Amino acid sequence: MSNAQATTGQDVVDILTADHHEIETIFVELETGQGTAEHRRRLADVLIAELVRHAVAEEMYVYPTARRALPDGDQLAEHEIAEHAAAERTLKELEPLDPADARFAPLISHLTKTIRHHVKEEEAELFPRLRAAVAHEELVELADRVQAAKRHLPTRPHPGAPDHPPANRLFNPGTGLVDRIRDALSGRPTTMAELHDDAQG
C-alpha cells in the first residue's frame, strides 16, 4: 500500500471513479468541436490511452474480485468485458483518423454514449456492491495494484486479442512495452498532463 493511500484510505472504486471523471472531461471537450484539428487528434490519443489502461486494469483486478465476491459476479464480469470489447473495436477505428475525416465525429459520439452508459452501470451497481461485499483493506490494496499496473499497461487498442486470460493481452507485459515505445517515437500523448506539457512547450 502506498503512503498516500494509507493516509487517505482511497480504494479501487475511488481510483476508477476518478478515471471516469477524467474521461468525461475529455468527452466534453471533444463534444464542443472546438480547438485545432491537431489538438483534437491529440485529445483523442489521450482518450484512447486512458480508456485502454482503465479497461485493462478493471479486467485484471476488479472483475476477478467481482466474480469471487458477488453471487452473480460471473454474469456481471462477462457483461462488462463484452462492453469493453465493443468499445475497443470503436477505439481501433478511431485511432488512425484525422479529425477532418467524416467518421471522426460520429465515432466520438458513439464512443461517448457507449462509455457513459458503461460508467453509469458500474457506478450505480458494480462499485457499491463491491464496497458492500469486499473488505475495505482489500479494496485499498486493489487500488495500489491498479495504480502500479497502469504504468505498464497497454495504451493502444488491441481488439483482436482474446478477451479472457490466460490468452489475452492483459497478462502479456510486452504489449504495454511495445505501445509505450511506439508512443514515445511518435510523440503521442497518453495522459492529460503530457498533453498540457506539449501545449506549454
Side-chain angles (χ1 to χ4, degrees), residues 48-99:
I48 290 167
E50 292 284 5
L51 284 170
V52 169
R53 276 192 299 258
H54 178 87
V56 174
E58 287 186 329
E59 291 173 23
M60 286 179 71
Y61 297 109
V62 178
Y63 300 159
T65 303
R67 289 181 191 278
R68 176 178 49 80
L70 303 177
D72 57 345
D74 282 336
Q75 180 183 347
L76 278 170
E78 290 302 320
H79 173 73
E80 302 295 346
I81 289 169
E83 289 192 343
H84 282 181
E88 194 161 10
R89 288 190 291 272
T90 303
L91 292 175
K92 191 65 178 176
E93 287 185 64
L94 180 65
E95 188 178 28
L97 295 184
D98 185 279

Side-chain angles (χ1 to χ4, degrees), residues 24 26-34 40 108 112 116:
E24 176 63 20
I26 299 172
F27 280 147
V28 169
E29 185 170 351
L30 282 168
E31 283 176 323
T32 67
Q34 297 177 353
R40 289 171 58 73
I108 290 290
T112 300
R116 283 176 174 159

Side-chain angles (χ1 to χ4, degrees), residues 82-149:
E83 289 192 343
H84 282 181
E88 194 161 10
R89 288 190 291 272
T90 303
L91 292 175
K92 191 65 178 176
E93 287 185 64
L94 180 65
E95 188 178 28
L97 295 184
D98 185 279
D101 191 296
R103 294 172 294 163
F104 186 88
L107 281 172
I108 290 290
S109 178
H110 173 70
L111 187 64
T112 300
K113 182 178 178 181
T114 301
I115 298 299
R116 283 176 174 159
H117 167 77
H118 179 75
V119 164
K120 185 176 178 180
E121 280 187 343
E122 283 192 334
E123 293 186 359
E125 182 175 2
L126 178 60
F127 289 176
R129 291 183 62 196
L130 279 176
R131 277 186 166 156
V134 180
H136 177 68
E137 293 76 13
E138 182 178 347
L139 294 177
V140 172
E141 178 62 29
L142 282 175
D144 197 41
R145 290 183 183 187
V146 164
Q147 292 288 67

